[in-house]
Amino acid sequence: MAALVSQLTMSPLNEIQIEERMAELHGWHRGEGPEIVRELDFADFAAAIAYVNRVAELAEAANHHPDILVHDYNKVRLELSTHSEGGLTDADFALAAQIDALA
């Protein structure tokens, strides 16, 4: 499925398309800008970093990279948007769905 993300068209989605795709995700919400966000809590720092490493593997395979923040030692914030398009694309939602499968 990671290869699928890199093959998706990178056209920006309109608001209706975004809302439809948001309904298919778990734990994601719209950010303050043109991104979708997921925040997760883990038992400890090691578990948070292990999760980040699994997300990184998916992102590398898809050639589509989220912004990742590890904070408060056991919390991870993921942000997805297609910077080159200035908004959200199918690639963001495809990678979000893959990330959902990890949690």
Side-chain angles (χ1 to χ4, degrees):
M1 181 142 173
L4 174 65
V5 173
S6 63
Q7 295 173 10
L8 293 171
T9 60
M10 295 292 228
S11 300
L13 300 172
N14 63 42
E15 286 299 315
I16 293 170
Q17 293 169 316
I18 291 169
E19 291 305 316
E20 289 171 352
R21 285 159 180 80
M22 287 296 296
E24 299 170 5
L25 298 177
H26 305 285
W28 294 85
H29 64 273
R30 298 289 296 270
E32 293 181 16
E35 72 273 344
I36 56 174
V37 177
R38 184 163 186 197
E39 301 188 49
L40 302 105
D41 294 339
F42 294 90
D44 55 30
F45 182 75
I49 294 302
Y51 177 78
V52 166
N53 286 334
R54 292 195 320 265
V55 170
E57 290 173 8
L58 291 175
E60 277 296 297
N63 193 30
H64 193 64
H65 305 94
D67 291 337
I68 301 172
L69 173 65
V70 178
H71 60 101
D72 295 335
Y73 91 90
N74 69 332
K75 296 179 183 358
V76 175
R77 178 182 173 97
L78 304 172
E79 295 183 5
L80 278 168
S81 71
T82 304
H83 303 291
S84 62
E85 295 300 323
L88 294 166
T89 66
D90 279 327
D92 299 306
F93 289 94
L95 185 55
Q98 290 180 333
I99 291 169
D100 278 352
L102 294 177

